[in-house]
Amino acid sequence: RMGRDKALLPVGDRRLIERVIQRVRPSVERLMVIGGAHNAPQLRDLPADAVLMDLKPDHGPLMGIYTGLMHTETSWNLFLPCDMPWIDGRLIERLAGACRGNAEVIASLHPTEGIQPFPLLCHVKACRTVGALLNRGERALQVLLRQPGARLITIEEPELWRSFTNVNTLADYAKLTEAA
C-alpha cells in the first residue's frame, strides 16, 4: 500500500520504526526488532537489544510473533508493528495489568471499533499455540485472538485510542510527517 518498506519511511530526522522504538522503550526492559530478509541491513543499526529475522519469510505477523517467542528470555512479551507511532505507554501498562491467570495473549477491545490486535502481549507459553496456527496455514492475528488463552481488555479512555492508529496509506504518512 505504501510502495516501499514502511519501517524505513523518513519522519522528520528519524525513520518510522525509530519513532515507535522511542515511544515504547520506556515501557520495556529489552527491545527486539523482528524483520525480514528484505530489510535486514537497514534494521541492524536500530537502537534495539537485538534484531531478528522471521524464521520463515512471508508468513505475516503470526510468524513475527512466533520468531519473537522462540527467542525471548522473558515470560511476557510485547509485540507492536513498526507503523504505530502514537503508541502510549499508559496503554501498555493497562494491558500489562491483565497479565495474570491463564491468559496467553492480551490485546485491546475498542468500545466502538472492536478488537485491536496491537499492541499485543504474549506469554512465552503462547509459542505452542502460535506454532500450531502457523502449521495449519493461519496467518491472521485475529485467529490467535479467538483462542481460549486470549484475553481482550476494553480500553474506554479516549486519550489512549490514538495508540491504535496505524500508518497504512500515503495519506496517513502525510499526516504523520506534517505533525513531526
Side-chain angles (χ1 to χ4, degrees):
R1 290 181 282 188
M2 298 294 285
R4 56 186 171 154
D5 190 342
K6 285 195 279 188
L8 306 174
L9 289 172
V11 180
D13 59 347
R14 287 184 225 119
R15 296 172 287 181
L16 180 55
I17 192 169
E18 290 171 303
R19 291 202 169 256
V20 174
I21 288 171
Q22 179 184 22
R23 297 288 301 247
V24 77
R25 177 56 97 174
S27 300
V28 299
E29 292 175 24
R30 188 165 187 256
L31 193 139
M32 295 189 301
V33 173
I34 303 166
H38 68 283
N39 62 6
Q42 296 88 354
L43 297 178
R44 297 219 186 278
D45 67 342
L46 291 173
D49 298 307
V51 176
L52 305 172
M53 297 302 114
D54 280 336
L55 293 173
K56 289 185 181 178
D58 304 320
H59 279 74
L62 277 181
M63 183 55 70
I65 292 166
Y66 185 72
T67 300
L69 292 174
M70 290 294 291
H71 290 90
T72 189
E73 297 174 5
T74 61
S75 296
W76 282 99
N77 301 271
L78 172 69
F79 291 91
L80 188 68
C82 68
D83 65 349
M84 293 181 79
W86 293 285
I87 187 68
D88 190 313
R90 295 174 297 170
L91 175 60
I92 296 167
E93 288 174 24
R94 184 78 192 286
L95 295 176
C99 294
R100 61 187 179 282
N102 63 350
E104 287 187 12
V105 296
I106 300 171
S108 302
L109 184 63
H110 187 286
T112 60
E113 295 180 21
I115 294 173
Q116 302 297 310
F118 289 113
L120 178 72
L121 283 172
C122 289
H123 193 279
V124 70
K125 66 185 174 186
C127 191
R128 288 186 303 271
T129 303
V130 175
L133 292 172
L134 287 166
N135 286 338
R136 288 195 333 232
E138 297 290 351
R139 294 184 183 201
L141 199 49
Q142 296 289 344
V143 176
L144 176 62
L145 297 176
R146 290 193 298 265
Q147 299 304 303
R151 178 178 292 156
L152 298 175
I153 305 302
T154 302
I155 306 300
E156 300 202 16
E157 302 88 342
E159 65 272 15
L160 298 180
W161 295 345
R162 189 172 190 210
S163 291
F164 301 126
T165 305
N166 293 80
V167 178
N168 285 325
T169 65
L170 290 173
D172 296 338
Y173 177 58
K175 287 179 194 171
L176 175 62
T177 56
E178 287 170 10

